[in-house]
Amino acid sequence: MLERQPRRNTAQKRMILRSIEQLGCHPTAVQIYTAVREVLPRTSLSTVYRNLGILVDQGKIKAVKGAGSEIHYDHNTGAHNHIECTVCGRVCDVHVNPVNIDTLNPETVSNYVVLEVRINILGICPECAEQLEKEKLQ
Amino acid sequence: MLERQPRRNTAQKRMILRSIEQLGCHPTAVQIYTAVREVLPRTSLSTVYRNLGILVDQGKIKAVKGAGSEIHYDHNTGAHNHIECTVCGRVCDVHVNPVNIDTLNPETVSNYVVLEVRINILGICPECAEQLEKEKLQ
DNA sequence: TTCATAATAAGAACTATTCCTATTATAGAA
DNA sequence: TTCTATAATAGGAATAGTTCTTATTATGAA
């Protein structure tokens, strides 16, 4: 959490952050790795993972877990919610009314100290819904 | 999803389901494995995983993903929400008002076909909060 | 320009889960 | 009850995603 080490500004770190911003819809480590390697072809997957960890620690990106086993990375660090396509697995931002933590009754939340309320919507994205419709007609 | 094969009623399968019910707070596969082995000491982890998959397919239990990397298993198959302790990792049921899918505006959910809305609360359970308080005083 | 060391590439190690296969034991038939 | 086909098992190998290790490279302060 606390930041003390000097951090060098490397080409890989810059490209990793830029890729997350440009890819949109919360890419996975491998998707970021693939994008970064188009510009810096010798970049290793471990460098991607290490920098993703640093960027999360610095609060510059957020790690998002979906229904699948991969971690997705999000450059929007504000409070917001996610929608995930159960067919293609993509994770995107979605704007439903957030739950205000202060309105939660301590007893209904089992006397926990509430830190965060996450709303995750599962559904089928328009592209996958269209594709499924086509397949059904055949 | 659809069930056609005959299913044998084995001691392992019965103990796995009973362990999930008795352990409470959504145990992981290894926690279930440990509990089952106290009664059936030769049970293997692959048997636990295979039966968990069958029980999920049959709709008898639900798989729940938390902030950690392990999958948790829940014998409450109705619609409800979860609260997770960020210190000890335990996942439990919690009763906050569920979001009614029909009230979601198609545009706000990016024109997805919405299947499910999951609310996950992250916090610190009373036991861990107390422990942290003790450590602070030392 | 030099130099200490942060960051890197490459791949080994790790963790949770799934898959494979010879063996065991369930449940329907005799 | 005994027999038998095969579903389910134990044990361990394989896999996927992530983290760790180490020799090498390159950043940035002096």
Side-chain angles (χ1 to χ4, degrees):
Chain A
M1 292 298 159
L2 79 167
E3 191 57 26
R4 57 174 84 258
Q5 285 174 314
R7 289 289 180 201
R8 289 182 182 173
N9 180 22
T10 64
Q12 290 86 342
K13 184 180 287 177
R14 270 177 276 124
M15 265 312 298
I16 287 165
L17 187 53
R18 194 191 298 175
S19 294
I20 297 168
E21 288 163 2
Q22 290 184 342
L23 286 169
C25 270
H26 310 5
T28 62
V30 169
Q31 289 171 328
I32 295 161
Y33 168 71
T34 305
V36 168
R37 278 176 76 96
E38 285 179 14
V39 179
L40 302 167
R42 295 195 36 144
T43 303
S44 71
L45 189 53
S46 60
T47 293
V48 173
Y49 275 110
R50 181 169 22 75
N51 278 298
L52 288 172
I54 290 167
L55 291 167
V56 168
D57 284 350
Q58 292 180 332
K60 292 184 182 169
I61 61 171
K62 268 190 167 181
V64 179
K65 294 213 173 186
S69 47
E70 307 97 328
I71 299 171
H72 297 253
Y73 295 90
D74 183 357
H75 68 275
N76 176 355
T77 57
H80 65 283
N81 304 298
H82 294 110
I83 191 163
E84 177 172 358
C85 178
T86 56
V87 179
C88 67
R90 85 168 79 168
V91 174
C92 294
D93 286 354
V94 73
H95 302 289
V96 290
N97 293 339
V99 173
N100 186 342
I101 290 176
D102 303 326
T103 64
L104 295 172
N105 177 328
E107 289 193 9
T108 64
V109 294
S110 313
N111 292 307
Y112 276 54
V113 179
V114 174
L115 301 172
E116 192 178 342
V117 179
R118 292 184 182 167
I119 301 178
N120 291 301
I121 301 180
L122 295 178
I124 304 173
C125 74
E127 290 78 6
C128 286
E130 190 183 356
Q131 186 62 35
L132 288 174
E133 204 53 47
K134 272 188 196 159
E135 286 169 16
K136 210 183 289 177
L137 294 174
Q138 285 174 357
Chain B
M1 294 297 158
L2 78 168
E3 190 55 30
R4 59 176 82 255
Q5 282 173 317
R7 290 287 180 205
R8 289 182 181 172
N9 180 24
T10 65
Q12 289 85 343
K13 183 179 290 176
R14 268 177 278 128
M15 266 312 297
I16 289 165
L17 187 53
R18 194 191 300 175
S19 294
I20 298 168
E21 290 163 0
Q22 291 185 342
L23 286 168
C25 269
H26 308 6
T28 63
V30 170
Q31 290 172 326
I32 296 162
Y33 169 71
T34 304
V36 169
R37 277 175 77 95
E38 286 180 12
V39 179
L40 301 168
R42 295 196 37 146
T43 303
S44 71
L45 189 54
S46 60
T47 292
V48 172
Y49 275 111
R50 182 170 21 76
N51 279 297
L52 289 172
I54 290 167
L55 292 167
V56 168
D57 285 350
Q58 292 180 333
K60 293 184 182 167
I61 60 171
K62 270 189 165 180
V64 179
K65 294 211 175 188
S69 48
E70 306 99 328
I71 299 171
H72 297 251
Y73 296 90
D74 183 357
H75 68 276
N76 176 355
T77 56
H80 64 283
N81 304 297
H82 294 112
I83 190 163
E84 178 171 356
C85 178
T86 56
V87 180
C88 66
R90 85 169 78 165
V91 175
C92 295
D93 287 352
V94 73
H95 301 287
V96 291
N97 293 339
V99 174
N100 185 342
I101 290 176
D102 303 326
T103 63
L104 295 172
N105 178 328
E107 290 191 9
T108 63
V109 294
S110 312
N111 291 308
Y112 275 54
V113 178
V114 175
L115 301 173
E116 194 179 342
V117 180
R118 293 185 183 167
I119 301 178
N120 292 301
I121 300 180
L122 295 178
I124 303 173
C125 73
E127 289 78 6
C128 287
E130 190 184 356
Q131 186 60 35
L132 289 174
E133 204 53 45
K134 274 188 196 159
E135 285 169 16
K136 210 183 287 174
L137 294 177
Q138 287 173 355

